[in-house]
Amino acid sequence: MKPHLYYDIRDVLLAPARAFSAKAIFVMTTFLILALVVYDLGFYLAHLVDGAKLSVVYSVYGIFPGPSPALSGAVGHVVFGIGVLAAIYAVMLGLLGVAVFTMEQIRGNRFFSVAESLRFIRSRAKQLLLCELALVAFVTLIVALFAIAGLLGRIPVVGEWLYSFFYVFPAYFIALFTVFIVAVFQISIILAPAAAAAERRGEIFGVILETFSSIIRQPLRWGVYTIYAIVAGKLASFLYAYFAVRAVQFTNWAIGLTDGGKLAKLVESSLSHLPMRSDVVKETFNIFPGIDWGLDLLRFVRSGDSAASYVMAFMLFVIFASILGYFMAVIGTGQAYAYVVIRYKKDGYRIDQEEPIGETEHLPGEPIVEPLTGEKDSQQP
């Protein structure tokens, strides 16, 4: 059964409820953990290349290192930058998985499985990567052209005149367009996965075109929908975090009726292995940044160092990651519905009239399905 679409902001309002799906949260959480692993590898490898002692660096930064590493060499910064980009790409793949769940629900397929979503992510991973690389390549080309122009500007007397004469046109207009490309590149981190999930042929140009078209033709609508999804996602994830903490407390209390409090102490001691004072943890269990009101988990921390406590610490970390996974799932779902609405507003195209991709057989590496016009052909062969 297909959800009823209004093709306005009412479709985005229910993003927190529609994202509260075990499949969506699982996929998003998995790729968030992958993103953290990749980011940490890049962060600590950068410090290793820079000549730092990893044990000292880890004692300072832990598993949630910030975006400002203490690096001095250029190679270390390059390695760190690669790690950041790889982590962002992993997050985009998670958003792609959430978006395809949403697109299939809109098309009427509520039984799209996790395995199918992972297969879809694998089939579109290259497409999503090449889309981002195309934008990066374009900006790099413009930078190279400006660098060449800088060399021409060093020509005695003539260089300054040429630079002054061509400063407004074409230099200024090219720079203005390039800044816009950079802005779209940043926006594409959350919007391109939705466009890729709706693109049925897996074409790179199609995703780039729809991403640009959505921003150029419907900037205000996209901005309002996105801001709402972020705010609603933060509030909804805080509510989820509250119930997650209460669920852990209930488990400890119920088990404590017969175990004499041993297992509850195990859970509390495992918290000492996690970065409880991290800003990431603080803001996750805070209702909203800038508002000092939330859950204080430090009072539950108990000292302890057993082998089982490390396993329990990992389990609690997964629960914590699912909170952030739900937050990102709300954003991904909101972007998917925003894209569906914007696509209808600017092109008159209704994605809900497409056939579900889960009902179409395809070969590995082949396009999922052929493109549809949005209307079913009434003539039978």
Side-chain angles (χ1 to χ4, degrees):
M1 181 178 179
K2 298 181 180 180
H4 176 70
L5 297 181
Y6 298 95
Y7 288 102
D8 55 33
I9 194 172
R10 288 175 291 180
D11 296 325
V12 186
L13 291 178
L14 294 178
R18 288 165 170 161
F20 194 67
S21 163
K23 296 184 294 185
I25 295 176
F26 172 79
V27 171
M28 193 68 244
T29 301
T30 300
F31 281 93
L32 275 182
I33 294 176
L34 176 62
L36 178 62
V37 171
V38 172
Y39 178 80
D40 283 354
L41 286 175
F43 184 89
Y44 287 106
L45 183 59
H47 282 85
L48 181 63
V49 171
D50 207 48
K53 191 175 181 180
L54 293 185
S55 59
V56 176
V57 177
Y58 182 80
S59 65
V60 175
Y61 294 100
I63 63 174
F64 292 142
S68 302
L71 300 171
S72 58
V75 177
H77 282 93
V78 171
V79 173
F80 174 71
I82 294 175
V84 172
L85 295 177
I88 293 175
Y89 178 60
V91 173
M92 293 180 67
L93 293 179
L95 291 173
L96 177 62
V98 172
V100 73
F101 280 128
T102 305
M103 293 299 176
E104 281 300 276
Q105 290 176 357
I106 292 174
R107 293 166 179 147
N109 180 13
R110 295 181 177 273
F111 302 101
F112 196 70
S113 66
V114 172
E116 287 176 308
S117 71
L118 294 177
R119 187 163 61 248
F120 183 87
I121 292 172
R122 184 181 62 181
S123 67
R124 299 302 173 88
K126 182 179 179 181
Q127 174 194 20
L128 205 57
L129 177 62
L130 291 178
C131 289
E132 300 304 299
L133 290 179
L135 297 178
V136 172
F138 179 81
V139 174
T140 303
L141 176 62
I142 297 299
V143 172
L145 292 177
F146 271 91
I148 295 174
L151 294 176
L152 296 177
R154 299 180 65 177
I155 301 176
V157 182
V158 178
E160 295 180 356
W161 282 93
L162 290 174
Y163 182 70
S164 300
F165 186 78
F166 292 106
Y167 187 79
V168 173
F169 183 84
Y172 169 74
F173 289 98
I174 294 176
L176 186 64
F177 181 68
T178 304
V179 171
F180 175 73
I181 297 296
V182 173
V184 173
F185 172 75
Q186 299 174 20
I187 293 172
S188 68
I189 294 175
I190 59 176
L191 180 58
E199 166 50 51
R200 302 182 69 98
R201 292 181 61 89
E203 295 179 350
I204 301 171
F205 180 75
V207 176
I208 297 177
L209 177 63
E210 289 301 330
T211 301
F212 272 85
S213 177
S214 299
I215 300 302
I216 294 174
R217 299 178 61 181
Q218 298 283 331
L220 182 60
R221 188 184 303 274
W222 178 84
V224 171
Y225 291 0
T226 301
I227 292 173
Y228 167 78
I230 293 174
V231 174
K234 182 64 182 78
L235 296 177
S237 64
F238 172 76
L239 185 63
Y240 174 70
Y242 173 83
F243 281 99
V245 172
R246 297 309 178 206
V248 172
Q249 288 180 314
F250 172 79
T251 303
N252 292 344
W253 172 80
I255 292 179
L257 296 176
T258 56
D259 77 333
K262 177 181 178 181
L263 298 180
K265 293 179 181 178
L266 173 65
V267 174
E268 294 172 352
S269 65
S270 67
L271 292 175
S272 63
H273 305 311
L274 299 175
M276 302 304 296
R277 299 183 183 276
S278 169
D279 291 337
V280 177
V281 175
K282 177 183 177 182
E283 295 301 334
T284 300
F285 292 95
N286 198 38
I287 187 170
F288 208 76
I291 301 177
D292 189 15
W293 189 80
L295 300 171
D296 182 17
L297 301 183
L298 292 176
R299 60 191 181 93
F300 299 115
V301 179
R302 179 189 296 267
S303 61
D305 191 20
S306 64
S309 66
Y310 286 94
V311 177
M312 181 57 68
F314 175 76
M315 298 302 173
L316 294 178
F317 170 76
V318 172
I319 295 175
F320 167 77
S322 70
I323 299 172
L324 297 178
Y326 175 50
F327 169 63
M328 294 301 299
V330 174
I331 295 178
T333 303
Q335 287 295 295
Y337 273 95
Y339 177 79
V340 170
V341 173
I342 290 174
R343 183 78 184 275
Y344 175 75
K345 292 294 184 180
K346 68 184 182 69
D347 299 327
Y349 188 88
R350 296 185 58 175
I351 294 179
D352 61 325
Q353 292 185 355
E354 294 180 344
E355 293 293 334
I357 61 174
E359 297 178 0
T360 307
E361 296 183 0
H362 59 279
L363 297 175
E366 294 291 332
I368 300 296
V369 292
E370 292 297 323
L372 299 179
T373 61
E375 298 180 358
K376 296 182 179 179
D377 189 0
S378 59
Q379 297 183 354
Q380 299 295 331

